[in-house]
Amino acid sequence: MNNYFAESELIINSDGSIFHLHLRPEQMADKIILVGDPGRVDRVASHFDTKECEVNNREFRSVTGIYKGKRITAQSTGIGCDNIDIVLNEMDALANIDFKTRTAKPKLKSLTFVRVGTCGGLQPNTPTGTYVASVKSIGFDGLINFYANRDKHCDVALEKAFKEHVGWKDTMGNPYVAPADKTLLDQIAANDMVRGYTVACGGFFGPQGRQLRVPLADPDLNKKIESFEYDGLRITNFEMESSAVAGLANLMGHKALTCCMVIANRLEKQVNSNYKNSIDDLIVKVLDRI
Ligand code: R1P
Ligand code: URA
């Protein structure tokens, strides 16, 4: 007998849509482009040949349409791994739970998620404008620690090596390492993207080593992050969602990858705050390759 998901656990609105995203099951495609900024959804959808629906609630904007024969949903997540917990759980429910019986469907669907985001570059080969594909994400956010079977889906050896290298303070919570889907990585990340590890932070300032008026717990953490090397790869970038995207997708049986454009180079102390037009090129590459 399948588990019954009670009204309080799986919240369905009176129009049959899921609680936060306001999407109904039939409105979501199996290929999903995740972006942080709701405005970026329209940038993605501007390339669609046809659009079938546009839905908004809070920071969550969704447009489903056809791009060169492929049905794709562009979905904004807002900022942070806490929002990714909502978006991935609700999208998984839309695909894999029967809303009438409130039970999991007998045949589960595997969705494809590609996050197209912005990030901070941490290496000499990641100046502003670089596209980075996250091979694995080191989550400083803690989200995946709340789910069972975390160790089965995370790279525990890399986590240990990282914690030793930086002298990780337990008071900062336990980081976890979530790998991207290998097939999707090879499909999307051609020679025009740098591959590396991404640190996904639970904040833009302190967790990414940006100190304004409040001192940091470990002012040398960024230097140690920049010098960490494992299996021939370095930590290339900071952003705020990739660990939860990869981690939850792995736990749920979906495929996920994060590709970001560097808008701030933390080594050179340079920033491109007018990036909104230039991210279009990365969006088209991902649309063509997904
Ligand atoms: C911070 O400015 C935001 O930008 C990055 C970070 O991950 C965070 O969400 O990604 P997006 O541009 O996709 O929002
Ligand atoms: N997004 C981040 O999270 N960090 C940066 O430095 C730039 C974009």
Side-chain angles (χ1 to χ4, degrees):
M1 174 71 179
N2 269 343
N3 269 350
Y4 175 82
F5 304 111
E7 276 76 355
S8 60
E9 312 305 295
L10 170 67
I11 307 180
I12 300 173
N13 301 315
S14 54
D15 64 355
S17 67
I18 193 92
F19 187 48
H20 295 95
L21 302 187
H22 278 205
L23 277 174
R24 293 192 308 276
E26 70 277 10
Q27 292 178 311
M28 187 184 74
D30 295 353
K31 295 177 193 285
I32 297 147
I33 309 269
L34 298 173
V35 298
D37 180 357
R40 203 177 303 148
V41 167
D42 293 301
R43 210 166 261 289
V44 175
S46 70
H47 299 284
F48 289 174
D49 303 310
T50 54
K51 291 181 205 166
E52 67 180 66
C53 69
E54 299 187 30
V55 177
N56 290 297
N57 186 46
R58 297 179 180 240
E59 59 268 67
F60 307 114
R61 174 162 171 75
S62 331
V63 177
T64 296
I66 302 289
Y67 176 81
K68 296 186 180 170
K70 298 182 281 195
R71 186 169 183 250
I72 295 174
T73 296
Q75 175 67 54
S76 66
T77 65
I79 290 181
C81 287
D82 44 353
N83 278 357
I84 298 299
D85 188 55
I86 290 174
V87 173
L88 262 82
N89 271 289
E90 292 197 354
M91 289 193 131
D92 179 68
L94 288 165
N96 288 323
I97 296 178
D98 182 329
F99 278 22
K100 285 205 180 73
T101 61
R102 292 182 164 274
T103 58
K105 292 181 180 170
K107 193 168 179 307
L108 297 178
K109 194 181 260 187
S110 176
L111 303 169
T112 299
F113 293 96
V114 180
R115 172 174 139 69
V116 180
T118 62
C119 68
L122 295 172
Q123 297 295 338
N125 68 336
T126 59
T128 57
T130 307
Y131 303 147
V132 181
S134 307
V135 175
K136 295 182 183 178
S137 291
I138 305 176
F140 285 6
D141 55 285
L143 178 75
I144 299 303
N145 298 329
F146 288 83
Y147 289 90
N149 300 321
R150 167 235 200 252
D151 285 1
K152 211 171 109 198
H153 295 275
C154 291
D155 187 334
V156 180
L158 200 162
E159 174 187 321
K160 186 167 175 283
F162 174 76
K163 283 167 74 177
E164 276 169 15
H165 179 83
V166 301
W168 184 260
K169 292 178 196 292
D170 285 341
T171 46
M172 299 193 295
N174 205 40
Y176 63 93
V177 180
D181 182 83
K182 180 85 181 64
T183 315
L184 194 57
L185 175 72
D186 290 338
Q187 183 183 323
I188 306 268
N191 292 339
D192 46 13
M193 296 186 197
V194 170
R195 293 182 183 206
Y197 304 129
T198 298
V199 170
C201 296
F204 186 81
F205 290 94
Q208 297 189 22
R210 284 189 172 93
Q211 182 179 325
L212 300 185
R213 291 197 320 103
V214 182
L216 303 175
D218 181 356
D220 296 323
L221 184 58
N222 276 17
K223 277 204 191 73
K224 293 181 277 185
I225 286 173
E226 284 155 19
S227 63
F228 178 68
E229 197 177 329
Y230 187 87
D231 247 353
L233 287 179
R234 295 246 174 179
I235 296 174
T236 40
N237 57 330
F238 275 139
E239 50 81 85
M240 297 175 62
E241 293 83 14
S242 62
S243 54
V245 171
L248 281 176
N250 292 340
L251 289 170
M252 292 167 170
H254 304 305
K255 298 187 185 69
L257 174 70
T258 290
C259 301
C260 287
M261 185 175 82
V262 176
I263 62 157
N265 185 277
R266 302 298 302 285
L267 289 179
E268 306 289 336
K269 310 267 183 255
Q270 281 171 346
V271 70
N272 169 17
S273 53
N274 287 318
Y275 65 87
K276 291 198 177 176
N277 287 326
S278 43
I279 201 166
D280 212 45
D281 177 57
L282 177 59
I283 289 170
V284 173
K285 284 185 196 302
V286 171
L287 282 170
D288 282 336
R289 296 171 189 173
I290 195 172

